[in-house]
Amino acid sequence: MSSVNPRRWWALVVLAAAQFMVIMDTSIIGVALPEMQRDLGFSQGELQWVFNAYVITFGGLLLLGGRLSDLLGARRVFTAGWIVLIGASIVAAAAQTAWVEVVGRAVQGVGGALIAPAAMTLLMTLFAHDPKELGKAMALYGAAAPAGGTAGVFLGGVFTEWLSWPWVFIIYVPIGVATLAATKLLPAVAPRRGAIDVLGAAAVTAGLALAVYSVVRAPEIGWGSTRTVLGLLVAAALLVLFFVLQRSVREPLMPLGIWRVPRLGSANLAMTLLGAAWIPMWYFLNLYLQQVLGYGAFASGAALLPMTVLLMVFMTAITARLLARFGAKPLIAGGLLVLALGLVWLSAVEPTGSFVVDVLPASLVAALGMSLAYIPAMVAAMSGAPAEQAGLASGIVNTTYQVGSALGLAALTALATSQGAGALGDLSALTDGFSAAFLAAAGIAALGGAVTLLAMRTEKAVATQQQANGTASGEQVGV
């Protein structure tokens, strides 16, 4: 057993702050989108690329980030990721045209894809000596992700209202510099010899990008058009190529044998559907507040602050205890179903609605569902992975969440646009489109809850099977 790092809790602060910032990068631009749309010339349909450019590169390169973390050393990759993120943030802040903004956001995603799996590897290195400490550390680290996502909406409102939208990117420069200075608190993880599957990384990233692009363009050019069908077919072919490569190359980006880790598959499916429901919810909720209820940037961000408070309090003080008592499966399934309930409630929004009646209670119910599901899904996906594959397992679970987010937002944006959300100024049409998106997101979350109940094994069942196979004698399985 490795020696206990006396600075591990200070190191956890650095890692949790990094997780907070990386995930906040997916949401801080939400409130700023209308201002960016006016200044940079995005159409209503193209606007989502400010979000999806980040998510696609982030999700598509997370596996590569995990592999690099395992091979080059987690602290080194963590540091490189922050350098990339700082540079890309400067580009995004200085953008004068839409395409430069999208490029800056895409490169920010590259930085995030290096940071996230390296941070998880470092966390496992610091706390693997004690399952109880690991559970507490995972709870604090996990809480940083959804809290960062929702806090980004509030902070985006502050910067956009009182400064200007470029400040949602400028903020990463001083924070990044401070994080780089604090990396001395992190343990030095020795690099290992091995090859990098560059072709596999290119295939999976291109496949995801083309799939999202095809879904985004479909409402405009037609779902049955040659370009849409061909784009989706090529995307599918690239993703198939990725899995073929993983079976044939000597050192694959994602060794398919990792899917034999107990509950990895079912937990990642739950994370995919969780991302596909949660991210579109805050995206359309923010647009509803600004484009229908007429909220300014700051007021819109402040309106979502209660969700942030609930997420932080529940996930840091309650979820870990529930996880230790009940295990992951009931919390993941229950959380997704509670999220579905909140989304159904949100689907009843009205053109003449109010925050107190139409938004606040439903958003709190949705946040409660997220609070219940996110950490248990992360723990279920990671708990069975061997130490040498911690970076890979982290990359996979973060990838599925981001892929779900990107594809969910693309599909629900297409649905909302077809139902009237593209008609700026027509409050009734906008509300109809947003309502349709909320209802569809509720269906996705409910599907996730049902699949978890049917497909995920309990901790006891996993332990029983491992003991029967002679692979888990004396080991603690689960939390």
Side-chain angles (χ1 to χ4, degrees):
M1 182 174 66
S2 60
S3 60
V4 177
N5 190 318
R7 300 189 297 180
R8 62 193 181 280
W9 294 107
W10 286 109
L12 177 62
V13 172
V14 177
L15 298 176
Q19 172 79 331
F20 183 93
M21 296 303 296
V22 166
I23 301 302
M24 191 175 77
D25 210 1
T26 66
S27 65
I28 194 170
I29 49 88
V31 176
L33 287 175
E35 295 290 336
M36 297 171 69
Q37 183 178 16
R38 285 191 289 270
D39 287 353
L40 301 179
F42 286 101
S43 70
Q44 184 81 343
E46 294 169 343
L47 191 59
Q48 65 175 299
W49 279 106
V50 179
F51 174 83
N52 273 341
Y54 177 89
V55 169
I56 289 170
T57 54
F58 185 24
L61 293 175
L62 273 167
L63 291 176
L64 179 60
R67 177 65 172 165
L68 290 172
S69 178
D70 290 338
L71 293 180
L72 304 180
R75 188 170 71 177
R76 186 177 302 170
V77 173
F78 182 86
T79 301
W82 272 105
I83 293 171
V84 172
L85 183 59
I86 291 169
S89 298
I90 294 172
V91 172
Q96 299 294 313
T97 61
W99 74 268
V100 173
E101 184 62 48
V102 171
V103 169
R105 288 289 289 161
V107 179
Q108 279 190 310
V110 175
L114 296 174
I115 294 169
M120 181 61 72
T121 300
L122 290 164
L123 185 149
M124 297 296 288
T125 300
L126 287 163
F127 295 98
H129 65 279
D130 185 342
K132 290 184 179 179
E133 281 200 1
L134 178 60
K136 183 178 179 181
M138 284 290 291
L140 294 171
Y141 181 82
T150 309
V153 178
F154 172 72
L155 294 176
V158 172
F159 294 138
T160 305
E161 184 81 12
W162 291 340
L163 296 169
S164 60
W165 66 259
W167 280 90
V168 303
F169 304 116
I170 294 172
I171 188 62
Y172 286 94
V173 178
I175 291 175
V177 171
T179 302
L180 289 174
T183 54
K184 62 183 179 181
L185 294 170
L186 304 176
V189 181
R192 296 190 293 111
R193 295 180 65 87
I196 298 173
D197 180 16
V198 176
L199 185 58
V204 69
T205 305
L208 293 174
L210 186 56
V212 173
Y213 179 76
S214 299
V215 172
V216 169
R217 291 294 307 278
E220 179 183 342
I221 64 178
W223 285 96
S225 70
T226 302
R227 280 184 290 173
T228 298
V229 173
L230 185 61
L232 292 173
L233 287 175
V234 173
L238 287 168
L239 295 176
V240 169
L241 173 62
F242 169 72
F243 284 101
V244 170
L245 289 169
Q246 302 317 287
R247 293 181 63 89
S248 59
V249 300
R250 185 174 181 179
E251 296 190 58
L253 191 64
M254 184 182 70
L256 299 183
I258 195 174
W259 292 101
R260 290 194 292 269
V261 169
R263 301 187 299 176
L264 182 69
S266 56
N268 275 278
L269 180 57
M271 287 294 276
T272 301
L273 297 173
L274 182 62
W278 175 258
I279 294 300
M281 183 208 75
W282 73 255
Y283 180 86
F284 288 109
L285 186 55
N286 177 64
L287 292 182
Y288 171 74
L289 288 168
Q290 291 199 49
Q291 295 180 350
V292 177
L293 298 188
Y295 279 37
F298 174 74
S300 177
L304 300 179
L305 184 58
M307 295 174 64
T308 304
V309 174
L310 187 148
L311 283 165
M312 287 297 296
V313 171
F314 205 91
M315 294 182 75
T316 56
I318 300 174
T319 301
R321 296 179 183 178
L322 295 176
L323 185 57
R325 181 172 181 180
F326 298 107
K329 178 177 178 176
L331 293 184
I332 298 169
L336 281 161
L337 293 174
V338 171
L339 175 58
L341 176 62
L343 285 162
V344 170
W345 195 343
L346 279 173
S347 71
V349 290
E350 298 286 346
T352 56
S354 71
F355 168 71
V356 173
V357 175
D358 294 83
V359 175
L360 179 60
S363 67
L364 291 178
V365 171
L368 175 62
M370 180 63 165
S371 301
L372 287 169
Y374 185 87
I375 290 176
M378 181 73 73
V379 170
M382 292 285 296
S383 59
E388 65 272 15
Q389 290 187 318
L392 175 61
S394 171
I396 291 173
V397 72
N398 278 287
T399 294
T400 55
Y401 181 78
Q402 298 300 330
V403 168
S405 301
L407 292 177
L409 181 58
L412 297 190
T413 296
L415 173 65
T417 300
S418 70
Q419 298 299 310
L424 286 176
D426 187 337
L427 301 188
S428 219
L430 283 171
T431 304
D432 287 344
F434 299 153
S435 177
F438 290 138
L439 195 58
I444 293 171
L447 176 63
V451 168
T452 300
L453 287 173
L454 294 172
M456 182 174 287
R457 288 177 290 173
T458 63
E459 283 83 351
K460 183 177 180 180
V462 172
T464 299
Q465 181 179 356
Q466 288 186 326
Q467 289 171 357
N469 294 339
T471 60
S473 177
E475 294 181 3
Q476 180 177 358
V477 177
V479 181

